[in-house]
Amino acid sequence: MATHNYFFGAGEPDSTGIRIQGTDQVVLGNYFQDLGRSGFSMTDGTPDDLYVRVERATVAFNTFVNCRDPFLIGVNHSSYPTGTTPQDCVIVGNVFYARAKPTDTTRPFMHLVKGDEPINWTWRDNFVSSAIVGDFDFTGITVNDSVPQMSSIGIFLPADKTAGQEIDYGYGQISEIDVAGQVRRRFTTPGAIQLPLNDDKTPPLTEADFESLLR
């Protein structure tokens, strides 16, 4: 389980966020920005279970801003050129922003490492910038071109509401707050931050904050 984290890559080419393998994983309420490799990735399974196939993962309420590979599917171990594709996953309420159109080093919001389509996935209420939406043929993706602006707590959020739609997810206690510590309403907006953002919320901790805590 990985919930309510901030990942800042500052454009470093090897910076990454979260990678999962195995069954019944939950990745919820995380914020990923300027990661030079992947924001979030899933592995393929290997015959000897060195990598365990991803099954029944829930990926919800996450926000990705300007990451090279926001969503990387089918990461393989170097000893195995192919593997078993992630299956039976739920991808809901995530937001993918891009502040510039893709270049030779920027891919669409989802990249299939070996070109294998995920098996029996459910997509619902995800929002993607048109610059990185790609040509994937499934429902559950809405193009949204709200321009990200720096918020009062130092992270990028859309200048207006992410969408004119409110969503009832109901993932229990872990989904009752967002990454900024706001209590979510029963009906809530997608992404790591419930909009509108209250100005009195605590910003992400800095390196200096951690150093002071260790003194």
Side-chain angles (χ1 to χ4, degrees), residues 85-164:
T85 306
Q87 70 173 15
D88 300 330
C89 299
V90 176
I91 317 299
V92 58
N94 302 285
V95 178
F96 301 84
Y97 298 129
R99 288 174 286 165
K101 288 190 176 297
T103 66
D104 290 340
T105 59
T106 305
R107 308 183 207 263
F109 83 97
M110 185 172 73
H111 177 60
L112 307 177
V113 175
K114 296 295 181 180
D116 294 334
E117 292 285 347
I119 299 170
N120 192 35
W121 279 24
T122 298
W123 293 81
R124 191 168 70 250
D125 300 320
N126 300 280
F127 293 87
V128 185
S129 298
S130 60
I132 55 171
V133 70
D135 58 358
F136 299 102
D137 185 20
F138 48 72
T139 59
I141 295 292
T142 299
V143 175
N144 185 298
D145 279 324
S146 295
V147 178
Q149 303 289 331
M150 185 63 73
S151 71
S152 60
I153 64 169
I155 64 176
F156 282 98
L157 294 174
D160 55 3
K161 192 173 181 179
T162 302

Side-chain angles (χ1 to χ4, degrees), residues 4-214:
H4 304 98
N5 301 289
Y6 291 100
F7 296 88
F8 297 99
E12 289 293 329
D14 291 329
S15 55
T16 61
I18 295 171
R19 185 172 75 172
I20 66 168
Q21 58 175 304
T23 59
D24 300 308
Q25 299 280 15
V26 175
V27 178
L28 184 149
N30 302 286
Y31 178 90
F32 306 84
Q33 181 182 312
D34 297 324
L35 295 168
R37 293 184 67 185
S38 62
F40 170 70
S41 61
M42 292 183 178
T43 67
D44 278 354
T46 61
D48 59 359
D49 284 343
L50 181 62
Y51 281 2
V52 180
R53 180 184 199 171
V54 173
E55 298 181 74
R56 300 186 302 279
T58 297
V59 184
F61 297 122
N62 301 289
T63 295
F64 301 82
V65 179
N66 203 37
C67 299
R68 180 177 183 269
D69 277 315
F71 205 5
L72 191 60
I73 309 301
V75 176
N76 294 86
H77 190 274
S78 57
S79 300
Y80 298 96
T82 59
T84 51
T85 306
Q87 70 173 15
D88 300 330
C89 299
V90 176
I91 317 299
V92 58
N94 302 285
V95 178
F96 301 84
Y97 298 129
R99 288 174 286 165
K101 288 190 176 297
T103 66
D104 290 340
T105 59
T106 305
R107 308 183 207 263
F109 83 97
M110 185 172 73
H111 177 60
L112 307 177
V113 175
K114 296 295 181 180
D116 294 334
E117 292 285 347
I119 299 170
N120 192 35
W121 279 24
T122 298
W123 293 81
R124 191 168 70 250
D125 300 320
N126 300 280
F127 293 87
V128 185
S129 298
S130 60
I132 55 171
V133 70
D135 58 358
F136 299 102
D137 185 20
F138 48 72
T139 59
I141 295 292
T142 299
V143 175
N144 185 298
D145 279 324
S146 295
V147 178
Q149 303 289 331
M150 185 63 73
S151 71
S152 60
I153 64 169
I155 64 176
F156 282 98
L157 294 174
D160 55 3
K161 192 173 181 179
T162 302
Q165 179 180 11
E166 292 183 328
I167 304 162
D168 181 5
Y169 292 113
Y171 284 103
Q173 187 173 4
I174 60 172
S175 64
E176 289 178 359
I177 62 170
D178 67 11
V179 72
Q182 299 180 116
V183 177
R184 290 186 183 270
R185 297 177 295 272
R186 179 186 171 200
F187 289 86
T188 185
T189 53
I193 299 283
Q194 177 179 259
L195 300 177
L197 174 67
N198 294 330
D199 290 337
D200 62 346
K201 293 305 168 185
T202 305
L205 294 177
T206 65
E207 184 176 353
D209 293 328
F210 280 105
E211 289 174 350
S212 66
L213 289 172
L214 294 174

